[in-house]
Amino acid sequence: LPVLFKEELKNEEVTEGASVSLCCELSKAAPVQWKIGSKVLKASDKYQMRQPGTTAELVIRDLEVKDT
């Protein structure tokens, strides 16, 4: 069976310079690739990815307008 979103991402409104945590839940464990536009995000001081089981989480620190 294909992997489906059980809980999709929700829009978040935050202030520049703050941090945000984006989460989604999948129907079964599968690798998740986070992107901004066509740019694939890689773990760094700015981006932290976690994926315990079927929940995928992206934390973006020091938000800028380009992170929209």
Side-chain angles (χ1 to χ4, degrees):
L1 293 173
V3 178
L4 303 173
F5 286 104
K6 286 177 70 177
E7 184 179 330
E8 295 193 18
L9 290 175
K10 295 182 175 71
N11 287 332
E12 297 284 341
E13 192 169 315
V14 292
T15 307
E16 275 187 80
S19 295
V20 67
S21 175
L22 303 172
C23 294
C24 63
E25 187 177 352
L26 307 171
S27 58
K28 62 182 178 180
V32 171
Q33 187 176 66
W34 293 94
K35 295 180 177 185
I36 292 180
S38 61
K39 178 186 171 191
V40 176
L41 302 181
K42 297 184 188 289
S44 65
D45 290 340
K46 183 169 180 77
Y47 304 111
Q48 181 182 6
M49 295 93 169
R50 288 184 280 219
Q51 194 169 350
T54 59
T55 302
E57 179 182 17
L58 170 66
V59 176
I60 306 174
R61 293 184 174 86
D62 194 23
L63 285 163
E64 304 171 63
V65 172
K66 69 179 183 178
D67 296 317
T68 302

